[in-house]
Amino acid sequence: MLVEGGRKEVNLNRALERIEEAARHGAQVVVLPEAMTLGWTHPSAATEAEEIPNGPGCARLREAARRNNVYVCAGLIERAGDLVFNAAVLIDVKGEVILHHRKLNELEIGHSCYAQGDRLAVAETPLGTFGVMICADAFARGQIVSRTLGLMGADIILSPCAWAVPADHDNEKEPYGRLWLDNYCPVARDFKLWIAGVSNVGWLTDGPWKGRKCIGCSLVIDPDGEQLLMGPYGPDADTILYADIELRPRPARGDGWELMWARLADDKT
């Protein structure tokens, strides 16, 4: 989805249109990008961030989820007292926030915009158990965030993202996405879960990465660690992607994962 820096109402209205369109075409879960309301590291975060779950932006997303009978996961810029967080929510079909995540592995250039994240959780639903992370959470050393969600029982990890490259990036010479495949695929394979990373598109017009372009390329990885789909590349590649998924029975729990991985390693040797 196109996200325009600092244009909260425009971005929210666009998100509501996308939710309605996706639901009309059969979607049960709609995932929107990181910092969807204001844009990643846009200076407007200091004055325009809103509370979760009852701030105006989150309230409108909650109503859209309820009205369209879908789950909605979205990246929001959150104000909590004097602090501003790069946050994400998962909203259920009744319009209730069932997961509220604050980004843990924020890039250093984002530290002046956002406070340190402080939570990680999963939520059981009729569609499966969901976990939520945000963008660079995926490549924290050892994939600790996504692997922890796997240990906590996640069947599906949803990740709002804002994937940006320099203005002169040439996708034919340097195809985008290797970083995410290298960090999504092993976790999905090891824990037999799904991962969906959803990026915005558009130009960054302010903040530390002003002049860079967000380029989409959203990904869905299956429980075999294989790429199911990747979205189109480019600052104008605004589109809705659809994927049908089928959950895998969870083969282990707790220390049972180590035993399972050891058996698999023995079988390979």
Side-chain angles (χ1 to χ4, degrees), residues 148-211:
T148 299
L149 290 171
L151 284 169
M152 295 171 77
D155 298 306
I156 309 160
I157 297 176
L158 307 176
S159 184
C161 297
W163 294 340
V165 296
D168 61 355
H169 178 255
D170 186 333
N171 199 50
E172 291 188 5
K173 292 181 179 178
E174 187 182 351
Y176 188 81
R178 189 72 261 163
L179 172 67
W180 307 105
L181 292 169
D182 287 347
N183 284 284
Y184 285 174
C185 293
V187 178
R189 181 181 63 247
D190 284 352
F191 287 95
K192 306 305 177 189
L193 54 77
W194 293 83
I195 301 178
V198 175
S199 177
N200 64 313
V201 300
W203 292 89
L204 296 177
T205 57
D206 209 336
W209 270 1
K210 180 180 179 180

